[in-house]
Amino acid sequence: MRTAVSALLVILALVVAAVAGPALWLQKNVIDQAGFVQLAGPLGSNKSFQEGLSALAASQATASIDLPPQLTDLAAALIQSAAQSIYTEPGYDAAWTETLKRSHALTFAAAGNKDIQGDLQLDIAPLVALVAAKVSDSTSVPLATPKDVVVALEQPELARLLPAATTLGGWAGWMAFIAVDLLVLALVAARRRSLTLILAAAGLATVALVWLFASGIVQSVLTGMATGPAAAQQFGVELGALARESWQGGINATFVIAGVLALAGVATLIIKRRRTT
C-alpha cells in the first residue's frame, strides 16, 4: 500500500512539475516586463533584424512625422537615410529598450481588457523619434513626432492565449511548491526511499526530454504563424529562437536536478546496504 501511494505521489509530482516549469519560464520571461525586455533585447543588435526594423521605422516615420512644406519633397530620401543607420546612434539602445517596454505594456493591457480586441503590438515611437532627431540634425529643422506609433504583429491567435498564459504564470510558484511537497510526501510514504529517488530522477529526466522536444515544435508553430509586415514577421521568428534558447537553460537545470536526485538515490542505497552488512 505504501509503495502504491508513494508511486502515485511521484507521478503527481512529475505531472505538476511538467506544467510548473514552462509556467515559471512564462512568468519570468514573457509576463514580467523586465524579463521580456531582457529576453528580446538581443534582437536590437541582430544585423538582419536591424535591416527590417530600419525599413519599418522609415515607413512609419514617413507616415507619422509632421513635416514642414520645405521638406516634403526630400522627406522620403532623408528619412530613409536616417533610418538605415539609427542603430549606430548613441540613443539607439535606450530607444529599443523603451520600444520593448511600450510594446509589452500595450500587448498585455489589451490581453487583460475584454473590451479590446487584443493583438501583439509594437510601439516604435522611440525609434521614430530617433529618426526624426537625426533628420532634424541634418536639416536644422525641428520635427514634431507622434506620441505613439503602433504596428500590429497580426497575431490574434497568440494574443488570445495571453490571458491564459498570465493566469498560468501567476500559479507557477504555487505549482513548483506543490510539486516539491508531493515528492517529499512520496519519500515519506515510500518503503524504499532510494528506489523512489531513482525513479523520480528518471521521471524528471523524461519530463526534461519532453520539454526539449516540445520547444522545437513550439518554435516551428510560432514561425509558421508569423504574418503581418516583414519586420513584424521577423520579430516573431527571431523572438521564437531566443525563447527556445532561453528555455534550454531551464531544461539543462532540470537534467542537473534529475542527476542530483539519482545520485542521492544511489548514495542512499549504498549506505543502506553497508548498514545491513
Side-chain angles (χ1 to χ4, degrees):
M1 182 64 179
R2 288 177 59 184
T3 300
V5 171
S6 177
L8 179 60
L9 289 172
V10 169
I11 292 172
L12 288 175
L14 291 173
V15 170
V16 175
V19 180
L24 285 169
W25 184 89
L26 275 174
Q27 178 63 35
K28 180 182 177 182
N29 297 282
V30 177
I31 299 167
D32 179 71
Q33 187 183 81
F36 175 75
V37 170
Q38 183 177 4
L39 173 68
L43 279 178
S45 57
N46 182 304
K47 294 299 182 182
S48 60
F49 179 69
Q50 284 177 346
E51 294 177 3
L53 187 63
S54 298
L56 180 63
S59 63
Q60 294 297 318
T62 302
S64 59
I65 292 178
D66 186 13
L67 295 166
Q70 63 268 35
L71 291 182
T72 301
D73 295 336
L74 296 174
L78 287 172
I79 290 175
Q80 183 69 30
S81 176
Q84 285 178 347
S85 58
I86 57 169
Y87 48 84
T88 63
E89 293 295 305
Y92 171 73
D93 289 340
W96 175 239
T97 297
E98 182 62 22
T99 292
L100 292 175
K101 289 181 179 179
R102 286 170 170 241
S103 302
H104 185 277
L106 265 178
T107 297
F108 277 86
N113 190 337
K114 295 181 180 179
D115 297 326
I116 298 177
Q117 186 175 0
D119 194 2
L120 307 186
Q121 302 179 82
L122 284 177
D123 183 356
I124 63 170
L127 297 174
V128 170
L130 202 61
V131 172
K134 192 167 184 181
V135 173
S136 296
D137 289 342
S138 61
T139 61
S140 300
V141 177
L143 300 178
T145 58
K147 181 180 178 181
D148 305 305
V149 182
V150 179
V151 179
L153 299 187
E154 299 180 17
Q155 296 285 352
E157 295 88 355
L158 289 179
R160 281 194 288 269
L161 295 176
L162 291 182
T166 302
T167 300
L168 184 64
W171 280 93
W174 281 108
M175 286 190 290
F177 177 76
I178 291 170
V180 172
D181 281 357
L182 286 171
L183 181 57
V184 171
L185 288 174
L187 291 172
V188 171
R191 294 177 64 88
R192 301 179 64 183
R193 291 173 183 170
S194 56
L195 182 59
T196 300
L197 281 169
I198 293 171
L199 292 177
L204 195 58
T206 301
V207 168
L209 284 173
V210 171
W211 287 342
L212 182 62
F213 179 71
S215 66
I217 295 176
V218 170
Q219 183 183 359
S220 298
V221 170
L222 291 176
T223 300
M225 292 175 65
T227 58
Q233 292 183 36
Q234 192 176 15
F235 180 83
V237 171
E238 298 292 345
L239 188 59
L242 287 174
R244 184 180 183 183
E245 182 181 343
S246 171
W247 179 229
Q248 184 63 49
I251 294 173
N252 293 340
T254 303
F255 277 123
V256 170
I257 294 172
V260 170
L261 288 176
L263 289 174
V266 171
T268 302
L269 183 61
I270 293 173
I271 292 171
K272 183 177 180 180
R273 285 183 176 179
R274 285 181 177 178
R275 286 178 178 176
T276 56
T277 57

